[in-house]
Amino acid sequence: MRDAARAAIGEALAACGNPSSVHRAGRAARALLAASRAAVAEAVGLPPGGELTFTSGGTEANLLALRGAGRRVLRSAIEHDSVRAAVADATIVPVGPDGRVDLQALETLLAATGAPALVSVMAANNETGVLQPIRDVARLAHAAGALVHCDAVQAVGKVPFDMAALGLDLVSLSAHKLGGPQGVAALAVAPGVALAAQQPGGGQERGLRAGTENLPGIAGFAAAITAAVAELATYARLAALRDEMEARLLEAVPQALVAGQGAARLPNTSCVALPGLPAETQVIALDLAGVGVSAGSACSSGKVRPSHVLEAMGYPAAIARSSIRISLGRNTIAAEIDRLVAAWIPLAARAKRSAA
Ligand code: PLP
């Protein structure tokens, strides 16, 4: 967690007022809530007149956007499970082999959708890091009279992101992906976009999301996103480190592959497959070497199943089952990459043995 977030959480915990209370402590809490809301709105480029609603996570923000809009949903095939599960009967927009959403298919599907629609495409994929053509998605959706939701949980704080410039109607964020605490997030809503509350009750968050606000978490979120956006350059530097790591892995193990390597990606994410060796085996071997990586989506770690993202990109199930996600942190240094490379390369011999 970023130092600024930890400090803001500590200060808010010490104050402990409820933003809905009328007394002095309540008013102070309300002022902190308003300042935090303004900071997050500014960091994400919410247009003037838009609303920002705090939620318990990116999962809840996605649910509020997708169910709250009350429209026919079209979503990409590589969305996070929280989008996939929010609307069971959504129309699926395919992606190409590079992991980018197929814009022509989107246009065709939009034309065939009679009802008022909502298109949901993430800004950056959580397994491959592949960046999506969000501006084009918004243009096509709006031309067809549809709204656009973007799950920007992985992108904000790692690459430049401006909701107004991209022309987005709904944007999901999550604090713990940008150096803030877990369990707090937000949905940014452009002016004029109406949503139905998915959690009714005491009327907090202008009636859109009831429940006493998690003020320490919200203050930490605001501090983290402000710092993250100011320090984007620290992430940009990771791309060179990531590229060098991939080059070393692929040179030593020619049968390995990096999913989405040809597309523009987040600077810190790499999805590496070692055909013949299950992802869990790689995760355990690397863990023993002191390197934490994930099999498939880290958000659902502990669960072992082939990645729907790699399957949507056309990789066979055997590749999907043998892929790991390596995420560099903003403080990752070259010596840590050396440790990963040294631990991973010997695994190729095990893959060969198990193939024999
Ligand atoms: N969307 C994406 C792209 C994610 O990677 C995650 C993972 O955490 C989520 C949504 C869910 O966010 P949260 O864990 O805050 O509920």
Side-chain angles (χ1 to χ4, degrees):
M1 193 182 300
R2 290 175 187 273
D3 292 344
R6 236 197 317 260
I9 292 167
E11 279 170 35
L13 278 172
C16 89
N18 180 336
S20 297
S21 299
V22 175
H23 50 60
R24 186 175 310 166
R27 291 198 303 278
R30 196 150 58 247
L32 178 58
L33 179 62
S36 302
R37 199 186 307 280
V40 177
E42 188 190 334
V44 77
L46 179 70
E51 302 266 17
L52 190 116
T53 300
F54 289 111
T55 65
S56 65
T59 298
E60 188 193 337
N62 284 337
L63 187 86
L64 178 57
L66 293 172
R67 293 205 187 154
R71 289 169 167 243
R72 172 87 206 147
V73 172
L74 288 78
R75 63 145 178 99
S76 89
I78 55 161
E79 295 301 309
H80 184 263
D81 278 349
S82 57
V83 167
R84 287 164 22 108
V87 178
D89 66 346
T91 300
I92 313 301
V93 186
V95 299
D98 63 353
R100 281 161 57 93
V101 69
D102 182 337
L103 293 171
Q104 209 153 12
L106 172 62
E107 198 169 10
T108 307
L109 290 166
L110 275 167
T113 305
L118 172 76
V119 176
S120 182
V121 176
M122 65 203 325
N125 183 262
N126 47 303
E127 294 184 31
T128 61
V130 169
L131 298 170
Q132 298 300 317
I134 294 305
R135 199 186 298 267
D136 293 330
V137 168
R139 181 177 47 78
L140 292 175
H142 289 155
L147 293 177
V148 192
H149 165 250
C150 179
D151 174 348
V153 163
Q154 290 287 342
V156 171
K158 300 194 182 94
V159 289
F161 186 93
D162 187 318
M163 176 180 178
L166 291 167
L168 301 168
D169 299 299
L170 297 151
V171 172
S172 299
L173 311 166
S174 185
H176 71 109
K177 300 296 179 186
L178 44 80
Q182 289 120 332
V184 60
L187 180 68
V189 185
V193 176
L195 291 178
Q198 301 300 300
Q199 182 166 303
Q204 289 90 347
E205 297 296 281
R206 292 165 314 282
L208 206 50
R209 198 276 182 181
T212 300
E213 295 87 349
N214 167 11
L215 194 55
I218 288 169
F221 181 12
I225 199 169
T226 303
V229 167
E231 295 166 15
L232 279 179
T234 59
Y235 262 94
R237 134 197 111 81
L238 294 177
L241 212 51
R242 190 262 325 263
D243 291 347
E244 192 204 313
M245 171 190 79
E246 290 177 351
R248 288 168 69 186
L249 296 180
L250 295 180
E251 195 192 334
V253 184
Q255 75 270 29
L257 62 90
V258 175
Q261 194 179 21
R265 286 179 291 161
L266 291 175
N268 73 315
T269 306
S270 184
C271 179
V272 180
L274 177 49
L277 201 64
E280 311 84 88
T281 309
Q282 298 177 56
V283 170
I284 292 165
L286 289 171
D287 187 43
L288 290 173
V291 181
V293 302
S294 310
S297 161
C299 308
S300 46
S301 54
K303 148 187 99 179
V304 179
R305 61 163 202 229
S307 151
H308 68 276
V309 175
L310 298 189
E311 283 179 353
M313 290 166 75
Y315 288 107
I319 295 285
R321 271 197 295 273
S322 68
S323 70
I324 56 169
R325 178 174 80 163
I326 304 167
S327 302
L328 279 57
R330 61 186 190 284
N331 300 322
T332 297
I333 55 170
E336 290 162 339
I337 299 294
D338 291 345
R339 175 140 43 111
L340 179 143
V341 171
W344 189 82
I345 288 174
L347 296 177
R350 277 163 76 172
K352 272 207 187 112
R353 276 202 301 276
S354 52

